[in-house]
Structures are given as structure tokens and as C-alpha cells.
Amino acid sequence: MAVEVSSAIAIDAARLTAELKTLSRITDCEQDLAKPQDVAVTRVVFSENDMKARAWLKGLAADAGLKVREDAVGNIFFRLEGSQPELAAVGTGSHTDAIPFAGMYDGTVGVMGGLEALRAIQASGLRPKRSIELLMFTSEEPTRFGIGCIGSRLLAGTIDPAKADALEDKDEKTMAERRAASGFTGTLASVKLPKDYYSAWVELHIEQGPLLEREGIELGIVTDIAAPAGYKFLIEGFGGHAGALLMPDRKDALCAASEIILSIEKNCLATGSINTVATVGTCDVHPGAVNSVPSRVLLQVDVRDTDPARREGVMQRVRAEIEAIAARRGVKITETKVNADDPAQSSAHIVDVVESICKAEKISYKKMVSRAYHDSLFMARIAPITMIFIPCRNGVSHRPDEYSTAEHIALGTRVLAQALAQLASE
């Protein structure tokens, strides 16, 4: 049964804006004084500033009287107790870790907006049946360990705990070593949540794309989350001196890599689907000298789609062309699959709840696909989910000029709070 919450819940927009700014100052980056409007944030998981941000957030939660617990990988749970705490909880949350030179809104809007939503429900005097939890996920970004959403993967049981603990960073320190040094002990097997832990999950996030702003729409309601498949391609050829090695004798690894990159682009476009995207994000060239023919190249590839069969079809066509490239150029090409995750569909009921709130509040909205993946992709393995998107300027994200207005952040937070209160009263 629905509960009337719209008039009871009020968001403190000024507090929320101030706290987002405070969090943005916990960063490894020095600010560009020539561009004071841009805020560069680097906050890698288990770094000194990551731990500072966690401590600051836990302090805010304690001030609000929320129950706080941490698991073995460092996921933090902030709980507003319901009148029937034995029932499955309603959850929300996101992440505060940030890739190098990112912006101040990715992930943090969902964490700070989630905290503000819990405080607003608390201040309204409402006490829903179900408890409501805010979750700050560990290592949503792949910066340190090369794979994203480690905290939510462990919660959902989609990654082997022993393999997760063995992941290494660029300094050859393992996850086990890094988390222990940060005070997170215990077995990673203990992180997994039972499938009935949450009755519903809603994540607030910036869109990280241009559609809402371009179409003048206030909020997005996510119906599907596209999933990534990650690959590495190692191309090994025969290099040498740029002047002495004659053109007929070369087996240029970079030229072969260039053909692979264009093949990936071509076969992605050939699907005809706007939901199929592919990116070659890194190209490591050895020896990397202007006067040396490249003998080895490592490509890292990201292919995403809402349809895993269509995504795999792209890769099958690319593999056929790679075989021809290798034969023609006399190079060896080795493929390694890093991950291949399944897409997620939102709960029709939770989408209806958010949609009904938007209609009642006369908020413009758009049902849409999330082409970036989030922790909600993995929470969908154990709970019914949706996401709420707010516009971001020019669709820009993962850059210091990432920006969402205070008004859109407050609006998204208000709708989130109302949705959480309604779902927790069911």
C-alpha cells in the first residue's frame, strides 16, 4: 500500500550542496587556478584521501543517528531503522572513489543525496516499516585493481572472493594487502548478501550523457543497464631501427593494432543499434620510441550493450578479421577476456513508483537506458532495482568540468527520498 510522503519530506538543498563541495576538497588533485569553476578530484580506493572521505562520511552519519557498519572489503552501510527491522530493507547508494582528474558529482551525488534523503525522511517524522540503508560501495572505479564495482560484485556474489583478494595494483600490492592496511579484515566470502536482504534498490546518479539536458528533461528513470565486456589484445610483431628496417621486412605491431581498432569501430556501428558501443581505451606501444618500429602493442577494449548476444556478435566478427590481419601482416595476436557481465533490467514496480512520484509532482521525466554501468548492475542480481538520473552539463563526466546544478541534485534527491519512503512502507 502506498504512503503519502510528498508533503512530508523536505530536502535541505543548501546542506547537500555544501557537503558535496566539502567532499570534493578531499582529493589528491591541485586545483587549476585558471579554471576555478572546474573541480578536479582524484580519490583512488584505499588511498589516504579515500580513507579521509570515509571517516568524514561516517561522522555525518553518526551525527544523524544512523547505524553504521562496514564489511570486509570496506563497503559501508548506513541504516535508518524501520518499525519492523526484521523485514528486508530498502537500499540506495553509490560510490565516492574517483578516477584521476575526475569531477565532483560522479557517484557522490548518489551517496550524499542518499544521506540527505535518509535525514529528510527522519526529520519528517515518518517511520516506514522497512529499514532504509545507504550503501557506500568500495572500488566502483577500476583505477587501482583494473576491474570496476568490486564491492558490489562481492555483495552479489558474482566474483570469486579468492580471486578478488588476489587482484594486484600497479605496485604489485594485492587487494588482500591493501584492504588489510586500511583496516578491513575478515574473509571476503563474508561480504555476500542474501538475495532477500533488500526488497528494493534505487540509485541516484548523474546521467553521464547528454540526453536529459539536450531534451530539456528534469529526470531520467532507468529501465535497463548496459553491461560491459572487457578484452585485452596483445599484438607481437618484429621491430627494429626506423631507418634500417626496410618496409617489406617489417611486421609492425602498431599498424596491425590500428586495423584492429578500426575493425572494432566498424563492427560496432554495423549493428545499427544505439545501445551498442565499443571503445579502445588504451594502446601501449613497445618500445615507444619515434625512431623504432613497434614490435609489441597491448590494446584494452570495452564493448557494451543491453543485449549480450549482440555484443558477442560484434566480437565474433572482430575475431574473424583479426585472424586475417594476423595472417596478412605476419604478427601474433593474443586475446584475453577480462570480464563479460550480463545487462540488468529494472523492476517494473519500482519504475512505476518513481514515475508516479514524477507525475504527482509535475516533474518531467524520460525512461531511458543507462549505457554507463554502475553498482546497481550487480545489485540487480540480488534485488529489484532502478536508477534515477539527473542531467549533467554537455553530458560530460570523468572530467573536472563535470557539472550538475544544485537544483537538479536537490530534485533528484527529493524524488529519491519519496521513493525510498514509499517502498519502505510497502
Side-chain angles (χ1 to χ4, degrees), residues 120-140:
I121 293 168
Q122 191 178 45
S124 73
L126 291 170
R127 195 183 182 196
K129 291 190 301 184
R130 299 179 186 274
S131 299
I132 305 174
E133 282 191 345
L134 166 65
L135 213 170
M136 194 219 80
F137 294 99
T138 285
S139 197
E140 193 270 353

Side-chain angles (χ1 to χ4, degrees), residues 105-252:
Y105 300 97
D106 173 24
T108 59
V109 164
V111 175
M112 303 315 301
L115 176 60
E116 180 57 31
L118 265 61
R119 291 185 298 205
I121 293 168
Q122 191 178 45
S124 73
L126 291 170
R127 195 183 182 196
K129 291 190 301 184
R130 299 179 186 274
S131 299
I132 305 174
E133 282 191 345
L134 166 65
L135 213 170
M136 194 219 80
F137 294 99
T138 285
S139 197
E140 193 270 353
E141 301 291 3
T143 311
R144 184 177 290 283
F145 296 110
I147 183 171
C149 297
I150 295 174
S152 54
R153 288 177 193 268
L154 285 163
L155 289 168
T158 64
I159 186 173
D160 179 77
K163 289 183 179 179
D165 245 350
L167 291 169
E168 289 189 347
D169 61 18
K170 65 180 181 181
D171 297 318
E172 298 183 341
K173 296 288 187 180
T174 65
M175 162 71 82
E177 291 172 308
R178 289 293 188 188
R179 69 184 180 91
S182 299
F184 302 115
T185 58
T187 172
L188 289 187
S190 67
V191 174
K192 184 180 179 182
L193 293 176
K195 283 201 171 184
D196 60 352
Y197 186 88
Y198 289 119
S199 65
W201 174 272
V202 186
E203 180 176 0
L204 175 66
H205 209 281
I206 63 172
E207 181 193 352
Q208 296 183 293
L211 299 181
L212 294 175
E213 182 188 52
R214 184 181 294 165
E215 297 175 27
I217 296 172
E218 293 171 292
L219 294 180
I221 307 174
V222 172
T223 58
D224 299 85
I225 304 175
Y231 302 89
K232 293 180 180 180
F233 288 98
L234 177 65
I235 303 97
E236 298 172 284
F238 181 79
H241 193 284
L245 186 57
L246 300 178
M247 297 300 289
D249 298 327
R250 298 184 182 198
K251 297 178 181 178
D252 191 316

Side-chain angles (χ1 to χ4, degrees), residues 138 259 264:
T138 285
E259 289 197 50
I264 291 167

Side-chain angles (χ1 to χ4, degrees), residues 331-353:
V331 297
K332 179 183 177 183
I333 302 175
T334 306
E335 173 189 338
T336 302
K337 183 166 73 174
V338 179
N339 64 286
D341 298 311
D342 291 328
Q345 286 191 323
S346 294
S347 157
H349 172 63
I350 302 176
V351 168
D352 287 346
V353 167

Side-chain angles (χ1 to χ4, degrees), residues 228-233 264 279 282 298-303 311-312 315-316 319 335-340:
Y231 302 89
K232 293 180 180 180
F233 288 98
I264 291 167
T279 305
T282 67
L298 179 65
L299 302 177
Q300 293 194 80
V301 182
D302 180 300
V303 186
R311 182 185 66 190
E312 177 57 24
M315 291 309 301
Q316 287 177 357
R319 291 182 188 111
E335 173 189 338
T336 302
K337 183 166 73 174
V338 179
N339 64 286

Side-chain angles (χ1 to χ4, degrees), residues 309-329:
R310 186 169 56 212
R311 182 185 66 190
E312 177 57 24
V314 170
M315 291 309 301
Q316 287 177 357
R317 291 188 291 275
V318 168
R319 291 182 188 111
E321 295 189 5
I322 282 176
E323 188 175 343
I325 292 166
R328 186 176 65 255
R329 289 190 169 273

